[in-house]
């Protein structure tokens, strides 16, 4: 089965505001959080979700995984408020 990997940056955003990148990668963030919650090995998650073989590119694989997982966690703690605020009806 061929995996469909969406385009991504090696480092997720590291700012205190919701970005266009975040909006377009919410599904990826949720999949990363699910993998972490299920106790999946990070090398398996980075291969499935990003198409990176951690044996061939260990530093890049770790950087991509860790930055995106950190951003996914930020979304659950803070970022979701930006989504709610931006989608709230304005009068």
């Amino acid at each position: 089965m061929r995996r469909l990997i969406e385009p991504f940056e090696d480092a997720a955003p590291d700012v205190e505001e919701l970005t266009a990148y975040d909006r377009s990668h919410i599904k990826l963030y949720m999949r990363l959080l699910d993998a972490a919650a299920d106790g999946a090995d990070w090398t398996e998650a980075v291969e499935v979700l990003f198409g990176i073989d951690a044996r061939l590119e260990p530093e890049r694989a770790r950087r991509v995984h860790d930055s995106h997982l950190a951003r996914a966690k930020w979304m659950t703690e803070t970022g979701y408020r930006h989504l709610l605020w931006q989608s709230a009806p304005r009068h």
Side-chain angles (χ1 to χ4, degrees):
M1 176 194 279
R2 186 170 163 237
R3 294 184 188 113
L4 297 176
I5 309 295
E6 62 184 278
F8 63 90
E9 298 292 328
D10 279 8
D14 187 19
V15 295
E16 289 298 318
E17 61 189 41
L18 191 66
T19 68
Y21 186 89
D22 294 323
R23 289 183 171 281
S24 67
H25 290 81
I26 288 174
K27 186 176 177 181
L28 174 67
Y29 294 161
M30 291 189 314
R31 292 181 71 193
L32 268 170
L33 290 168
D34 285 344
D38 289 345
D41 183 80
W42 75 269
T43 60
E44 181 182 343
V46 80
E47 184 168 352
V48 170
L49 299 176
F50 297 94
I52 301 172
D53 186 334
R55 292 170 296 171
L56 300 176
E57 298 181 271
E59 292 169 7
R60 178 177 181 234
R62 179 56 93 170
R63 181 177 58 250
V64 168
H65 177 270
D66 289 355
S67 75
H68 284 81
L69 182 57
R71 191 61 173 184
K73 290 177 180 178
W74 176 84
M75 288 291 294
T76 66
E77 298 161 359
T78 304
Y80 76 93
R81 293 183 191 128
H82 296 272
L83 282 173
L84 293 174
W85 181 79
Q86 291 175 358
S87 63
R90 309 248 161 109
H91 300 282

